[in-house]
Short mmCIF file of all heavy atoms in Angstrom, two decimals:
data_model
loop_
_atom_site.label_atom_id
_atom_site.label_comp_id
_atom_site.label_asym_id
_atom_site.label_seq_id
_atom_site.Cartn_x
_atom_site.Cartn_y
_atom_site.Cartn_z
N ASP B 81 -16.16 3.55 -48.28
CA ASP B 81 -17.52 3.53 -47.73
C ASP B 81 -17.48 3.56 -46.21
O ASP B 81 -18.21 4.31 -45.56
CB ASP B 81 -18.26 2.25 -48.17
CG ASP B 81 -18.58 2.29 -49.65
OD1 ASP B 81 -18.40 3.38 -50.25
OD2 ASP B 81 -18.97 1.24 -50.20
N THR B 82 -16.58 2.73 -45.67
CA THR B 82 -16.54 2.62 -44.21
C THR B 82 -16.05 3.94 -43.61
O THR B 82 -16.55 4.38 -42.57
CB THR B 82 -15.65 1.45 -43.79
OG1 THR B 82 -16.05 0.31 -44.52
CG2 THR B 82 -15.76 1.16 -42.32
N ALA B 83 -15.06 4.58 -44.27
CA ALA B 83 -14.55 5.84 -43.74
C ALA B 83 -15.69 6.85 -43.64
O ALA B 83 -15.78 7.60 -42.66
CB ALA B 83 -13.43 6.37 -44.63
N GLN B 84 -16.54 6.87 -44.64
CA GLN B 84 -17.66 7.80 -44.61
C GLN B 84 -18.60 7.50 -43.44
O GLN B 84 -19.03 8.39 -42.71
CB GLN B 84 -18.44 7.71 -45.91
CG GLN B 84 -18.12 8.88 -46.79
CD GLN B 84 -18.98 8.93 -48.01
OE1 GLN B 84 -20.07 8.35 -48.06
NE2 GLN B 84 -18.49 9.61 -49.03
N GLU B 85 -18.84 6.21 -43.28
CA GLU B 85 -19.68 5.75 -42.16
C GLU B 85 -19.08 6.19 -40.83
O GLU B 85 -19.77 6.66 -39.93
CB GLU B 85 -19.73 4.21 -42.24
CG GLU B 85 -20.79 3.56 -41.42
CD GLU B 85 -22.19 3.74 -42.02
OE1 GLU B 85 -22.30 4.10 -43.23
OE2 GLU B 85 -23.14 3.54 -41.28
N VAL B 86 -17.76 6.06 -40.75
CA VAL B 86 -17.05 6.40 -39.51
C VAL B 86 -17.26 7.87 -39.18
O VAL B 86 -17.58 8.23 -38.04
CB VAL B 86 -15.54 6.10 -39.65
CG1 VAL B 86 -14.75 6.70 -38.50
CG2 VAL B 86 -15.32 4.60 -39.72
N PHE B 87 -17.08 8.71 -40.16
CA PHE B 87 -17.20 10.14 -39.89
C PHE B 87 -18.64 10.53 -39.54
O PHE B 87 -18.86 11.42 -38.72
CB PHE B 87 -16.66 10.96 -41.05
CG PHE B 87 -15.17 11.06 -41.00
CD1 PHE B 87 -14.38 10.37 -41.90
CD2 PHE B 87 -14.55 11.82 -40.02
CE1 PHE B 87 -12.99 10.44 -41.82
CE2 PHE B 87 -13.16 11.90 -39.93
CZ PHE B 87 -12.39 11.21 -40.85
N LEU B 88 -19.56 9.86 -40.15
CA LEU B 88 -20.96 10.15 -39.84
C LEU B 88 -21.24 9.77 -38.37
O LEU B 88 -21.80 10.55 -37.60
CB LEU B 88 -21.85 9.34 -40.77
CG LEU B 88 -23.31 9.77 -40.77
CD1 LEU B 88 -23.42 11.21 -41.26
CD2 LEU B 88 -24.14 8.85 -41.65
N LYS B 89 -20.78 8.58 -38.02
CA LYS B 89 -20.97 8.12 -36.64
C LYS B 89 -20.27 9.06 -35.67
O LYS B 89 -20.78 9.38 -34.60
CB LYS B 89 -20.38 6.71 -36.49
CG LYS B 89 -21.46 5.78 -36.07
CD LYS B 89 -21.06 4.43 -35.76
CE LYS B 89 -22.38 3.64 -35.80
NZ LYS B 89 -22.21 2.27 -36.03
N GLY B 90 -19.07 9.47 -36.09
CA GLY B 90 -18.29 10.40 -35.25
C GLY B 90 -19.07 11.66 -34.97
O GLY B 90 -19.11 12.14 -33.83
N TYR B 91 -19.69 12.20 -35.99
CA TYR B 91 -20.44 13.44 -35.81
C TYR B 91 -21.62 13.22 -34.86
O TYR B 91 -21.89 14.04 -33.98
CB TYR B 91 -20.94 13.95 -37.16
CG TYR B 91 -21.71 15.25 -37.01
CD1 TYR B 91 -21.04 16.44 -36.71
CD2 TYR B 91 -23.09 15.28 -37.16
CE1 TYR B 91 -21.74 17.62 -36.56
CE2 TYR B 91 -23.80 16.46 -37.01
CZ TYR B 91 -23.12 17.64 -36.72
OH TYR B 91 -23.80 18.80 -36.55
N MET B 92 -22.28 12.10 -35.04
CA MET B 92 -23.44 11.83 -34.20
C MET B 92 -23.06 11.64 -32.73
O MET B 92 -23.82 11.97 -31.83
CB MET B 92 -24.17 10.58 -34.71
CG MET B 92 -24.98 10.89 -35.97
SD MET B 92 -25.26 9.42 -36.96
CE MET B 92 -26.41 8.54 -35.98
N LYS B 93 -21.86 11.13 -32.53
CA LYS B 93 -21.49 10.80 -31.15
C LYS B 93 -20.50 11.77 -30.53
O LYS B 93 -20.03 11.54 -29.41
CB LYS B 93 -20.85 9.41 -31.13
CG LYS B 93 -21.85 8.31 -31.35
CD LYS B 93 -21.23 6.98 -31.02
CE LYS B 93 -22.29 5.91 -31.02
NZ LYS B 93 -21.71 4.59 -30.88
N ILE B 94 -20.17 12.83 -31.25
CA ILE B 94 -19.04 13.65 -30.79
C ILE B 94 -19.29 14.27 -29.41
O ILE B 94 -18.37 14.56 -28.68
CB ILE B 94 -18.69 14.72 -31.85
CG1 ILE B 94 -17.30 15.28 -31.54
CG2 ILE B 94 -19.74 15.81 -31.93
CD1 ILE B 94 -16.65 15.99 -32.66
N ARG B 95 -20.55 14.41 -29.06
CA ARG B 95 -20.80 15.01 -27.74
C ARG B 95 -20.44 14.10 -26.58
O ARG B 95 -20.33 14.54 -25.45
CB ARG B 95 -22.26 15.39 -27.62
CG ARG B 95 -22.59 16.57 -28.49
CD ARG B 95 -23.96 17.06 -28.21
NE ARG B 95 -24.30 18.05 -29.19
CZ ARG B 95 -25.52 18.45 -29.39
NH1 ARG B 95 -26.50 17.94 -28.70
NH2 ARG B 95 -25.77 19.37 -30.28
N THR B 96 -20.29 12.83 -26.89
CA THR B 96 -19.89 11.94 -25.79
C THR B 96 -18.39 11.98 -25.57
O THR B 96 -17.88 11.38 -24.63
CB THR B 96 -20.28 10.48 -26.11
OG1 THR B 96 -19.60 10.11 -27.31
CG2 THR B 96 -21.76 10.32 -26.29
N LEU B 97 -17.68 12.67 -26.44
CA LEU B 97 -16.23 12.76 -26.30
C LEU B 97 -15.92 13.79 -25.24
O LEU B 97 -16.17 14.97 -25.42
CB LEU B 97 -15.60 13.14 -27.65
CG LEU B 97 -14.09 13.38 -27.65
CD1 LEU B 97 -13.34 12.12 -27.29
CD2 LEU B 97 -13.64 13.88 -29.01
N ARG B 98 -15.33 13.33 -24.14
CA ARG B 98 -15.11 14.26 -23.03
C ARG B 98 -13.86 15.10 -23.24
O ARG B 98 -13.81 16.23 -22.85
CB ARG B 98 -14.97 13.48 -21.73
CG ARG B 98 -16.23 12.75 -21.38
CD ARG B 98 -16.49 12.81 -19.92
NE ARG B 98 -17.69 12.02 -19.62
CZ ARG B 98 -17.71 10.99 -18.81
NH1 ARG B 98 -16.62 10.65 -18.19
NH2 ARG B 98 -18.82 10.33 -18.59
N ARG B 99 -12.85 14.51 -23.85
CA ARG B 99 -11.59 15.25 -23.99
C ARG B 99 -11.35 15.54 -25.46
O ARG B 99 -10.96 14.65 -26.22
CB ARG B 99 -10.43 14.43 -23.43
CG ARG B 99 -10.58 14.20 -21.96
CD ARG B 99 -9.32 13.62 -21.42
NE ARG B 99 -9.49 13.32 -20.00
CZ ARG B 99 -8.70 12.52 -19.32
NH1 ARG B 99 -7.69 11.95 -19.94
NH2 ARG B 99 -8.89 12.30 -18.06
N PRO B 100 -11.55 16.78 -25.84
CA PRO B 100 -11.42 17.14 -27.26
C PRO B 100 -10.04 16.79 -27.81
O PRO B 100 -9.92 16.42 -28.96
CB PRO B 100 -11.63 18.65 -27.26
CG PRO B 100 -12.33 18.98 -26.00
CD PRO B 100 -11.95 17.94 -25.01
N GLU B 101 -9.03 16.86 -26.98
CA GLU B 101 -7.68 16.63 -27.51
C GLU B 101 -7.48 15.17 -27.91
O GLU B 101 -6.51 14.84 -28.57
CB GLU B 101 -6.63 17.08 -26.48
CG GLU B 101 -6.54 16.25 -25.21
CD GLU B 101 -7.55 16.69 -24.15
OE1 GLU B 101 -8.45 17.49 -24.47
OE2 GLU B 101 -7.45 16.20 -23.00
N GLN B 102 -8.43 14.32 -27.53
CA GLN B 102 -8.26 12.92 -27.89
C GLN B 102 -9.09 12.53 -29.11
O GLN B 102 -9.35 11.36 -29.34
CB GLN B 102 -8.65 12.04 -26.70
CG GLN B 102 -7.64 12.12 -25.59
CD GLN B 102 -8.02 11.32 -24.39
OE1 GLN B 102 -9.11 10.76 -24.35
NE2 GLN B 102 -7.14 11.28 -23.41
N PHE B 103 -9.48 13.53 -29.89
CA PHE B 103 -10.35 13.26 -31.02
C PHE B 103 -9.73 12.25 -31.99
O PHE B 103 -10.38 11.31 -32.43
CB PHE B 103 -10.69 14.56 -31.75
CG PHE B 103 -11.54 14.34 -32.96
CD1 PHE B 103 -12.91 14.14 -32.84
CD2 PHE B 103 -10.99 14.29 -34.24
CE1 PHE B 103 -13.70 13.91 -33.95
CE2 PHE B 103 -11.77 14.06 -35.35
CZ PHE B 103 -13.13 13.88 -35.21
#
Side-chain angles (χ1 to χ4, degrees):
Chain B
D81 290 350
T82 310
Q84 257 187 22
E85 195 73 17
V86 169
F87 279 108
L88 193 63
K89 240 185 197 157
Y91 180 72
M92 285 156 71
K93 288 192 170 172
I94 196 162
R95 289 189 188 165
T96 60
L97 175 63
R98 296 219 183 121
R99 296 190 183 163
E101 69 275 11
Q102 289 177 355
F103 178 80

